Amino acid sequence: CTLVVITSVDFKQGKLEQQLRDVEALKLEDDTAALKEETQEDVHQDSPAQEKCVQTPTHTAPSPAPSTYDMLRSVTARRDYLLAVAIQTIAYSGMIAVMAITPVAMSDIGYSFDKATLAVEMHLVGMFSPSVITSYLIDLVGGSILLLVGFVIMMFGSLLFLANDSVAIFTTSIALVGIGWNWAFVPTSGAAVNMFRGPTKVVAMAFNDTVMLTMVAVVTAFGGLFYSAIGWHAFVISYFVYFLFGLSLGVVWFFMVRTGLPSETAGTAKKTPPTIQRLDLPAPMSVDFEMEDMHAAEPDDSIV
């Protein structure tokens, strides 16, 4: 019985010592956390400027993107852009009008559908085949000069219709109008694209195509009435004058380029990377806590 009692007392004494150690450890952790909080509050109160440096920098919200209306206003405020749109519109609508009415005129003269189709086919070849060398010619002589050449060729093709009513004249004339369209249209359309970047570029192209294709729809819808009212020869003379007006705008474009048109370099300008400013923050302050060794309390002899 004595051995059992001694063993039971020793077990209870060990358990009590373990509980005391757990209590002291928890108390030590609470005191350490409280001491750290007090030290940080003292540091922040003593140096408020340093607190701003230590805190995580906040980023300002980005400015809202401009609306479509604002971008459209900025696009239409550029005279060089509006000039490019006008040149494209004249070249495209004039070419479409001549292409649409030429088969009708050949049919009225008495030519078959196959011969009228041949003239239109040669016109399409003239429209797109020069694209193989158009970019090379722009690099060689410049887009402003090439568009002048294009309008001159379109004017010559319009006058060539007046030579006679043979199939060869019809085919050659309408093919020349197609070649002239390519060289008058491509340089100005490329310049209009290069004037803007980002979302504004999309708005600029939308406005450009809307104006141009609206004019194309008008001349196509009313071209038949116009031809029926004035006849074939007067029709091609009227479009000769129309191309002459486009040539005059091309001359204005030429001198704008020679005097330093901003759009000539806007598309190829290199983007300068944004400068990143380095923010040097002071090193965070370290606080050393010196702890005294905590020893477990001696068991009370009264327990024994």
Side-chain angles (χ1 to χ4, degrees), residues 206-230:
F207 178 81
N208 177 88
D209 292 347
T210 301
V211 173
M212 180 179 62
L213 297 179
T214 300
M215 190 63 181
V216 168
V218 170
V219 299
T220 304
F222 295 97
L225 296 175
F226 187 50
Y227 162 72
S228 301
I230 64 176

Side-chain angles (χ1 to χ4, degrees), residues 216-247:
V216 168
V218 170
V219 299
T220 304
F222 295 97
L225 296 175
F226 187 50
Y227 162 72
S228 301
I230 64 176
W232 173 242
H233 288 174
F235 181 86
V236 293
I237 291 174
S238 65
Y239 276 94
F240 169 83
V241 177
Y242 191 55
F243 295 142
L244 180 61
F245 177 63
L247 179 65

Side-chain angles (χ1 to χ4, degrees), residues 142-163:
S144 58
I145 296 178
L146 188 62
L147 75 89
L148 296 179
V149 175
F151 274 113
V152 169
I153 294 176
M154 296 178 78
M155 293 167 59
F156 178 74
S158 299
L159 289 180
L160 189 60
F161 280 112
L162 302 176

Side-chain angles (χ1 to χ4, degrees), residues 26 37 63 73 97 100 102 113 119 160 168 173 183 197-198 264 273 286:
L26 292 175
E37 291 178 359
S63 58
R73 288 185 59 185
T102 297
F113 178 79
L160 189 60
S173 299
W183 289 347
R197 298 191 184 96
E264 290 295 306
S286 60

